[in-house]
Amino acid sequence: MWSSRLPFSLPISPESMAREIAQFERDLAEAETEGGPDSQPMLAARSKLGRACRFVGRVRDAVAVHEQNLSVCVRVLGLDDSQTLAARCDLAWSWLAVGRLADAVAGMERSLADHERVLGADHPATVVARSDLGNALVVAGAFTRAQPLLERALADSERVLGDDHPDTLACRDRLATVHASEGRVGLALKLAKRHAAACKRVLPPGHPDEVTSRSILGIAYRSTGRITAGIAEHRGALADYERLLGPDHPLTIQERVMIGSGYSQAGQHDAGIAALRQAAADLERVLGAGHPSTLISRLSLGIAYGRASRSADAVAVLKQASARCERVFGPDNRVTLGARGTLAAAYAAAGRRHKAAALHRKVLAGFERTLGPDHPTTREYRADSE
C-alpha cells in the first residue's frame, strides 16, 4: 500500500499523474537553480519526485533519485536527521519495488534501528518504519519473521496513530496477507474484511489504498474457498487499477494474475491459463524476468497447468521458475520451497515418481531446517507428500 506517502492529489488518473510528475521535475530544476543541489527545497523536491516515480511504476528512476537524495542528506544533514531517516526508508522502498530484496530488507532494518535510536520506539515515524520492515519481509517470503513484527507494529500503530490512520490500515493489510500465506484463512478473512470496511469508511473515493484493500479481500476469500466472491473483488480492483494507474502498471498486471488464479481454482482452466500467460509476459516486460512479482506469476501459471492436467507444461514452467526463485529468494526461503514442492507434485503427475520423491525429500528437509519439524506448514507438507 501507499498509505500516507501518496505523492499525488485526488482524483488520480494516468493523465493527472503524468502532469504532476512533470511539475515535480520542473520544481526540482527550479530548486536547483535557486538554491543549489544541496538546498532544503532541492531535497524535498527530489524526495517527492522519487516517490512519484515509484508510484507510477518507474521503479528504476525511483531508485536513482532516492540514491542521490540519501547521499546528499547524509552529507549535508548527517546520519541522524529526520530527513535522512526518511530518505533511507524511501530508498529501501524503491529497492523493494525493483526486486532487490536483500538490499530492501537490510535498508528497512537499518531504518528501523535508526528510528528507534534517534526518535524512540513509540515515535509515529518509528512505528511506521517497523511496519515497513514487516512489509519488506512479506515480499521477501520471510513470513515467520514478518508475523510477530507486524503484530507488534499493528498494536503500536493502533495505539499511537489510531485505528483508522492510513499507516495502521497498511499494517493491517500486510498482516492479513501473512495469515493467508501461512494458511490461517479464518484470521486472514476476518482481518481483510475489517481492513476493507475501514478503507471504504475513511478513505476518499478513488484512493488506491481502498482498491488494494479489495484485492487483499479477494485473496482472503479465495483462500477460504469462496472463489466466486474472490474473483468478483479482483475484477472490481482490476477495473479501478486500470482507471487509476493504466493497463501496464505492475499492480494492474498483478491483479490480472489474481483473476487468472481464481479462474484456475474454479476449474475454468483455459481462461485461467490464458490470463496468467499474458500477465506473466507483461510482468516480465515491465519488471524483468527475475523480479519477485514475475516469478510469482510464473509459479501461478505452472500451478494452473497442473490443475488442467497439462503435466509437461507444468514441469517446464515450474522448473524454470523454481531455479529463478532460488537465485532471487534463496534456497531455503518459503517461496522457493513452495515452488520446489509444486514442481515435485508436477513431476509425480507426469509419472516421474523417482524424481518427485527425491525432490519432496529435499523440500521437506528444507521446511524442517527452517521452520522446525512440528511447524504446521512442515506437518502439512509431510502429510501431502507421503
Side-chain angles (χ1 to χ4, degrees), residues 290-308:
H291 193 280
S293 295
T294 306
L295 296 180
I296 297 300
S297 73
R298 292 289 180 191
L299 292 175
S300 298
L301 176 59
I303 292 169
Y305 277 134
R307 288 187 177 128

Side-chain angles (χ1 to χ4, degrees), residues 171-222:
C171 190
R172 200 173 287 133
D173 166 327
R174 295 159 189 167
L175 189 55
T177 302
V178 170
H179 287 319
S181 300
E182 293 283 80
R184 294 184 291 272
V185 294
L187 278 174
L189 182 56
K190 180 179 179 180
L191 202 58
K193 283 183 173 180
R194 179 185 175 192
H195 172 62
C199 285
K200 187 174 183 179
R201 184 177 68 252
V202 305
L203 296 177
H207 194 289
D209 284 0
E210 192 272 329
V211 181
T212 302
S213 74
R214 282 186 277 127
S215 179
I216 297 298
L217 182 57
I219 294 172
Y221 276 137
R222 289 193 295 113

Side-chain angles (χ1 to χ4, degrees), residues 246-258:
D248 265 359
H249 193 282
L251 286 176
T252 305
I253 303 170
Q254 287 172 44
E255 206 59 33
R256 296 194 193 107
V257 174
M258 300 299 181

